[in-house]
Amino acid sequence: MLPLEITARRHGERTLVSLRGELDLANADDLRKRLRAARAAHGDHVVLDLADLEFMDSQGLSVLVNCYKAVTAAGGSLTLAGPRPIVRRTLEVTGLHRRMRIVRSLEEALPPAH
C-alpha cells in the first residue's frame, strides 16, 4: 500500500491540492483535515489534482463528497483534475461524475496565469 502524499497551495484564485498514492480508510481523516486547512488558508475554489492518485476507496469518496458539500455551501467550487481510469471509474459507478466537475488535466482545471 502506498502512503498518501498531500500538497496544498494557492494557484491564482484557486486552492490547489495534489494527491499522490492511495486514498483509503487509513488516511481519509488526514485528507479531510488537510482540505479544511487548505480551504481556510487559500479559499473555497478547490482543484484536486488526482493525476498521481492510484487508488480511492469509499472512505476517499466520502471525503470528496464532504468537501464538495462544504465548498458549494460556502459559494465555492470543487474540480477534480486528471483522475486515472480506476479513480474515474469509481466516480462514474457512484454517479459523482454527474455532480462534480471532472476535467482531463490540471491545465484544463486552472485558469491561465496572468
Side-chain angles (χ1 to χ4, degrees), residues 2-52:
L2 296 173
L4 181 66
E5 295 175 27
I6 306 165
T7 57
R9 64 183 174 89
R10 177 181 298 278
H11 184 281
E13 299 297 315
R14 302 280 190 268
T15 299
L16 175 59
V17 180
S18 299
L19 306 180
R20 175 187 299 271
E22 297 182 357
L23 173 54
D24 55 25
L25 176 63
N27 52 36
D29 280 339
D30 185 38
L31 177 58
R32 188 175 283 114
K33 292 173 189 166
R34 297 283 300 273
L35 284 170
R36 217 177 288 129
R39 289 178 42 232
H42 307 300
D44 287 314
H45 291 285
V46 177
V47 174
L48 279 181
D49 180 2
L50 305 180
D52 292 323

Side-chain angles (χ1 to χ4, degrees), residues 14-112:
R14 302 280 190 268
T15 299
L16 175 59
V17 180
S18 299
L19 306 180
R20 175 187 299 271
E22 297 182 357
L23 173 54
D24 55 25
L25 176 63
N27 52 36
D29 280 339
D30 185 38
L31 177 58
R32 188 175 283 114
K33 292 173 189 166
R34 297 283 300 273
L35 284 170
R36 217 177 288 129
R39 289 178 42 232
H42 307 300
D44 287 314
H45 291 285
V46 177
V47 174
L48 279 181
D49 180 2
L50 305 180
D52 292 323
L53 186 66
E54 297 184 19
F55 173 80
M56 177 173 60
D57 72 2
S58 62
Q59 292 299 310
L61 285 172
S62 175
V63 174
L64 296 188
V65 169
N66 289 335
C67 181
Y68 173 80
K69 288 179 179 178
V71 297
T72 55
S77 61
L78 175 65
T79 301
L80 307 179
R84 292 176 179 214
I86 190 168
V87 173
R88 179 179 281 278
R89 178 80 179 126
T90 303
L91 295 165
E92 290 171 353
V93 166
T94 58
L96 291 176
H97 69 293
R98 290 190 291 271
R99 292 180 60 194
M100 298 180 185
R101 180 173 180 240
I102 303 172
V103 296
R104 287 183 298 250
S105 68
L106 188 56
E107 294 72 29
E108 195 176 334
L110 297 172

